């Protein structure tokens, strides 16, 4: 299923991205290519492939992927917000994205 420039423009609008005409054309081609690869993968017969809960094996060679949780002190509200572009009353201040300006 090819992605059109109109599709890319709509996705960019939803993501609040401003794309140039060249970027829109480029992304349309790239996204279409990605979907083409996914279509190829969908052609594979996976009926005898058991489902996996993790992307790595459960054997001892995958131990690197697991670690114990360690409790550490947090940064604290003042330190966490002091380098933010905007903060107010100890909280991060961000632009409103739902419900208008």
């Amino acid at each position: 299923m090819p992605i059109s420039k109109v599709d890319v423009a709509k996705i960019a609008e939803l993501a609040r991205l401003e794309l140039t005409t060249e970027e829109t054309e480029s992304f349309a081609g790239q996204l279409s290519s990605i979907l083409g690869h996914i279509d190829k993968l969908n052609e594979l017969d996976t009926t005898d492939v058991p489902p996996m809960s993790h992307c790595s094996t459960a054997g001892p060679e995958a131990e690197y992927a697991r670690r114990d949780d360690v409790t550490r002190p947090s940064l604290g509200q003042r330190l966490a917000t002091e380098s933010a572009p905007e903060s107010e009353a100890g909280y991060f201040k961000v632009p409103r994205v739902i419900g208008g300006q």
Side-chain angles (χ1 to χ4, degrees):
M1 174 180 125
I3 299 290
S4 70
K5 290 184 274 185
V6 173
D7 295 328
V8 172
K10 180 61 178 173
I11 293 166
E13 178 186 347
L14 292 171
R16 296 184 184 259
L17 299 173
E18 293 181 16
L19 300 179
T20 65
T21 304
E22 294 81 22
E23 289 172 324
T24 302
E25 291 174 7
S26 176
F27 286 133
Q30 291 174 21
L31 291 170
S32 292
S33 176
I34 291 168
L35 289 179
H37 289 294
I38 292 170
D39 285 340
K40 277 281 193 208
L41 291 173
N42 286 335
E43 294 174 9
L44 294 172
D45 179 17
T46 58
T47 53
D48 293 330
V49 178
M52 297 175 60
S53 63
H54 294 80
C55 62
S56 63
T57 61
E61 67 275 2
E63 192 60 35
Y64 68 90
R66 295 187 285 278
R67 63 173 172 74
D68 292 333
D69 290 336
V70 178
T71 303
R72 297 185 212 160
S74 67
L75 288 175
Q77 193 172 20
R78 182 193 57 76
L79 186 59
T81 59
E82 75 181 12
S83 62
E86 277 193 76
S87 63
E88 184 176 296
Y91 298 97
F92 295 103
K93 190 171 182 180
V94 297
R96 175 180 241 165
V97 294
I98 298 175
Q101 304 289 352

